[in-house]
Amino acid sequence: ELTWLATSRVDPITGEAFPELEPKHFSWNSPRGWCPNCRGYGCFYEGMQQDLETKGHLFDFRDGEVCPECQGDCIGALGRAVILRTKNGTQFTLPQMLRLTPAQLSKATSNIDLDPKGKAVAELVLPEIWERLAFMETVGLGYLTLDRQTATLAGGEAQRIRLAAQLGSNLSGALYVLDEPSIGLHPQDNARLLDSLENLKTKGNTLLVVEHDEETIRRADHVIDLGPGAGQAGGHLLAAGSPNTVFKSHKSHTSKYIREGITHPTHGQ
């Protein structure tokens, strides 16, 4: 089998040329980067037929069928042809990297073989990537590959991925406002989440968390308890201060339930 290679970006016979690479060539959300056959979806879904036909594309496909052109990789041929090599001789395309777990991808990207210009760029980009991958590990998502479709995720998994995207950066001096981040989390994963939030705080960030989870309240530096009820029955400041200070309040329903528990209608305390 013969394979013809060229050192230039232009074919001297056909005149076909590769464009200068830019980030959009690796994005399935951009017309420059998406697979022209499936328009960046990687597979076909019900109702997509009519959408493609209105844009001049004529296809006959079954719901859920993987795109035959990109084989589910979502990006076009140019993006799929670009290779990153590691120092041990392994090479990856972007779709191949997205099939890795966070730990595998961290290992692969820490060993990329780059020229001086590439190293200067990577030093700015890779630390934030590693931080987000590490956060996925911390909140118990280390088993997910990065090409996993959102529609296949459980509610708790989707919640943690959103948190990883927002919190897995290397910022400091920022204010984060989180609305009930513990929803959908297993208790073990909730503890991991709180550890990650503690790490975020130690970097010099401020966290404002709206929560009803007892473990989260106990880990807070300062608690503001509003009530006494919800909606129109609320709006009053019942207690504020450290968790122990709030737990001693006699106005707060939260402190009462934490001190005394709640009586079950059939099982008692």
Side-chain angles (χ1 to χ4, degrees), residues 67-88:
C67 174
E69 184 165 319
C70 69
Q71 296 299 315
D73 289 340
C74 301
I75 61 175
L78 180 64
R80 299 197 304 270
V82 177
I83 292 172
L84 280 177
R85 291 185 174 86
T86 63
K87 295 175 183 177
N88 60 11

Side-chain angles (χ1 to χ4, degrees), residues 5-134:
L5 305 174
T7 56
S8 65
R9 292 190 299 111
V10 180
D11 188 321
I13 299 176
T14 65
E16 182 181 0
F18 288 108
E20 288 282 358
L21 294 175
E22 52 184 84
K24 288 185 178 180
H25 290 128
F26 302 93
S27 171
W28 47 78
N29 294 316
S30 167
R32 292 189 185 183
W34 67 31
C35 168
N37 194 45
C38 64
R39 300 178 71 86
Y41 287 98
C43 62
F44 302 108
Y45 59 87
E46 187 177 357
M48 192 175 174
Q49 179 90 46
Q50 182 179 359
D51 181 52
L52 290 176
E53 287 178 355
T54 59
K55 295 178 174 67
H57 296 260
L58 295 177
F59 297 108
D60 183 21
F61 53 77
R62 297 184 301 274
D63 185 29
E65 180 182 355
V66 175
C67 174
E69 184 165 319
C70 69
Q71 296 299 315
D73 289 340
C74 301
I75 61 175
L78 180 64
R80 299 197 304 270
V82 177
I83 292 172
L84 280 177
R85 291 185 174 86
T86 63
K87 295 175 183 177
N88 60 11
T90 309
Q91 59 186 33
F92 297 95
T93 63
L94 176 61
Q96 289 172 337
M97 298 180 87
L98 295 179
R99 295 190 191 107
L100 302 177
T101 63
Q104 292 170 335
L105 184 56
S106 293
K107 183 178 180 180
T109 51
S110 65
N111 201 28
I112 297 176
D113 189 13
L114 299 170
D115 58 19
K117 181 180 178 181
K119 288 180 180 178
V121 175
E123 287 176 355
L124 301 175
V125 177
L126 287 176
E128 186 167 338
I129 293 176
W130 292 332
E131 189 82 16
R132 296 187 182 203
L133 293 174

Side-chain angles (χ1 to χ4, degrees), residues 48-241:
M48 192 175 174
Q49 179 90 46
Q50 182 179 359
D51 181 52
L52 290 176
E53 287 178 355
T54 59
K55 295 178 174 67
H57 296 260
L58 295 177
F59 297 108
D60 183 21
F61 53 77
R62 297 184 301 274
D63 185 29
E65 180 182 355
V66 175
C67 174
E69 184 165 319
C70 69
Q71 296 299 315
D73 289 340
C74 301
I75 61 175
L78 180 64
R80 299 197 304 270
V82 177
I83 292 172
L84 280 177
R85 291 185 174 86
T86 63
K87 295 175 183 177
N88 60 11
T90 309
Q91 59 186 33
F92 297 95
T93 63
L94 176 61
Q96 289 172 337
M97 298 180 87
L98 295 179
R99 295 190 191 107
L100 302 177
T101 63
Q104 292 170 335
L105 184 56
S106 293
K107 183 178 180 180
T109 51
S110 65
N111 201 28
I112 297 176
D113 189 13
L114 299 170
D115 58 19
K117 181 180 178 181
K119 288 180 180 178
V121 175
E123 287 176 355
L124 301 175
V125 177
L126 287 176
E128 186 167 338
I129 293 176
W130 292 332
E131 189 82 16
R132 296 187 182 203
L133 293 174
F135 190 90
M136 288 184 66
E137 290 276 356
T138 300
V139 296
L141 295 175
Y143 58 89
L144 290 181
T145 57
L146 299 185
D147 63 348
R148 176 80 172 266
Q149 293 189 7
T150 306
T152 67
L153 297 172
E157 290 174 330
Q159 167 82 323
R160 282 175 281 166
I161 284 180
R162 287 192 292 269
L163 286 170
Q166 296 300 318
L167 305 181
S169 63
N170 211 17
L171 294 176
S172 61
L175 169 64
Y176 290 92
V177 182
L178 305 175
D179 186 9
E180 298 191 86
S182 68
I183 287 181
L185 297 187
H186 187 278
Q188 180 179 351
D189 296 327
N190 191 41
R192 289 174 171 175
L193 168 66
L194 293 177
D195 289 339
S196 299
L197 297 182
E198 289 276 5
N199 291 335
L200 200 62
K201 185 185 68 174
T202 59
K203 292 179 181 179
N205 298 297
T206 300
L207 284 79
L208 175 61
V209 183
V210 181
E211 258 298 357
H212 303 89
D213 173 67
E214 180 178 348
E215 185 179 6
T216 306
I217 295 172
R218 290 187 179 277
R219 292 275 292 268
D221 294 321
H222 189 88
V223 177
I224 299 174
D225 192 10
L226 301 176
Q232 293 182 345
H236 298 277
L237 177 62
L238 303 179

